[in-house]
């Protein structure tokens, strides 16, 4: 996978382009977008080449970074490009980031049984601390291994069955938005107690980062970690009590389920 193309350079496509350019030579990366100026700006930032959808579709690995409802319309005019490449014996892999669309649907939209890798990355991939669940269809073991090496610049990469990837996305893909809501709320609380806004946000964000790192490195259950922080008769347990009374855990679970229900509707069209 020497050349890498991106069709769609929005928030997620841009995040993955940044991640890929940490591992691959930027000169081997082609960026395309419905608004060319956006691809050109990102290409200038990363040292890549901006081009058309057809240019990106000619790469060894083609990231499909458009919204699910736009995927069929975007792929239809590229079907002759893919068919011509296949007829010439070229091997290429399509990598879809679209929520809800199966790999079989991507093959159908692309017009052939081309190798497909399906990923559900998240925005922190842009800074190398992302979570990238993935599954494959008709990709070789070597292509999968090459892809995982390329994704090392995004963060953690984990294989998962396709029937579970939507649920995975609703935790790791949607989660950054909810984590930001929580960080913002903690910072608001700090401001209410007299902290300057910038310090309150810094403390809340670093706390979340450090807590997540300790959980990942130790393998400790979050409940056990929570118990370790709650001293008998202390301050933290009083905050835990309030959060339980206000239904924090139930609300978080409902958020994941609501996102999953919406993803299922996208798949059904």
């Amino acid at each position: 996978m020497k050349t890498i193309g991106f069709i769609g350079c929005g928030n997620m496509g841009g995040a993955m382009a940044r991640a890929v350019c940490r591992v691959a030579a930027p000169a081997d990366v082609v960026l395309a977008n419905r608004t060319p100026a956006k691809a050109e700006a990102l290409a200038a930032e990363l040292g890549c080449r901006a081009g058309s959808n057809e240019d990106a579709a000619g790469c060894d690995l083609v990231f499909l970074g458009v919204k699910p409802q736009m995927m069929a319309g975007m792929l239809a005019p590229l079907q002759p490009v893919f068919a011509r490449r296949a007829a010439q014996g070229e091997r290429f892999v399509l990598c879809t980031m679209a929520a809800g669309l199966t790999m079989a649907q991507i093959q159908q939209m692309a017009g052939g049984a081309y190798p497909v890798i399906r990923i559900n990355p998240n925005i922190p991939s842009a800074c190398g601390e992302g979570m990238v669940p993935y599954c494959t269809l008709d990709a070789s073991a070597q292509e999968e291994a090459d892809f995982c090496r390329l994704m090392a610049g995004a963060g953690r990469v984990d294989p998962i069955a396709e029937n579970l990837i939507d649920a995975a996305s609703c935790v790791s893909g949607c989660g950054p938005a909810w984590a930001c809501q929580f960080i913002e709320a903690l910072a608001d609380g700090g401001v209410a107690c007299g902290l300057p806004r910038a310090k309150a946000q810094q403390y809340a964000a670093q706390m979340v980062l450090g807590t997540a790192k300790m959980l990942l490195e130790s393998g400790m259950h979050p409940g056990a970690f929570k118990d370790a922080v709650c001293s008998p008769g202390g301050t933290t347990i009083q905050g835990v009590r309030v959060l339980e009374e206000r239904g924090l855990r139930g609300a978080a679970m409902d958020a994941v389920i609501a996102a999953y229900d919406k993803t299922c509707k996208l798949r059904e069209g």
Side-chain angles (χ1 to χ4, degrees):
M1 295 182 180
K2 178 173 174 53
T3 57
I4 303 103
F6 284 85
I7 301 177
C9 298
N11 290 337
M12 191 58 68
M16 296 311 296
R18 288 183 171 88
V20 164
C21 285
R22 292 193 191 92
V23 178
D28 293 332
V29 178
V30 179
L31 306 180
N33 196 71
R34 182 175 54 175
T35 305
K38 182 176 287 188
E40 291 165 2
L42 185 59
E45 173 192 336
L46 299 177
C48 305
R49 177 167 63 91
S52 65
N53 286 2
E54 289 75 12
D55 293 330
C59 293
D60 300 327
L61 176 63
V62 184
F63 282 88
L64 308 176
V66 302
K67 297 183 185 301
Q69 59 270 30
M70 298 171 58
M71 186 66 75
M74 183 275 289
L75 285 174
L78 296 179
Q79 287 185 10
V81 176
F82 296 140
R84 182 169 60 251
R85 295 186 66 189
Q88 293 172 348
E90 291 185 41
R91 182 82 178 181
F92 57 92
V93 177
L94 305 178
C95 179
T96 173
M97 295 181 269
L101 296 181
T102 66
M103 293 182 286
Q105 286 176 303
I106 294 297
Q107 287 185 333
Q108 182 180 28
M109 292 175 185
Y114 311 121
V116 176
I117 298 176
R118 180 180 173 188
I119 62 174
N120 280 122
N122 59 13
I123 290 295
S125 298
C127 67
E129 293 293 346
M131 185 70 239
V132 187
Y134 78 93
C135 51
T136 69
L137 178 64
D138 296 329
S140 69
Q142 186 61 56
E143 286 167 337
E144 181 176 350
D146 290 344
F147 174 79
C148 289
R149 280 193 291 272
L150 189 64
M151 287 292 95
R156 290 176 179 253
V157 183
D158 187 60
I160 193 168
E162 187 171 27
N163 67 321
L164 296 176
I165 199 167
D166 286 333
S169 173
C170 293
V171 175
S172 61
C174 302
W178 307 326
C180 284
Q181 284 183 290
F182 184 60
I183 290 169
E184 184 182 27
L186 290 178
D188 284 345
V191 171
C193 295
L195 277 175
R197 167 68 60 183
K199 286 188 178 294
Q201 181 172 313
Q202 177 187 350
Y203 296 168
Q206 180 62 38
M207 176 279 298
V208 170
L209 175 64
T211 302
K213 185 174 182 180
M214 286 192 69
L215 283 175
L216 288 169
E217 291 181 354
S218 69
M220 184 184 296
H221 189 281
F225 196 110
K226 178 263 296 178
D227 289 348
V229 181
C230 292
S231 303
T235 56
T236 306
I237 192 63
Q238 292 304 317
V240 169
R241 176 181 59 80
V242 172
L243 291 175
E244 293 289 359
E245 287 177 350
R246 305 294 170 82
L248 173 70
R249 283 198 277 190
M253 292 172 65
D254 286 346
V256 175
I257 294 168
Y260 182 73
D261 288 344
K262 176 63 175 180
T263 301
C264 292
K265 289 178 182 177
L266 289 173
R267 181 169 60 246
E268 294 164 1

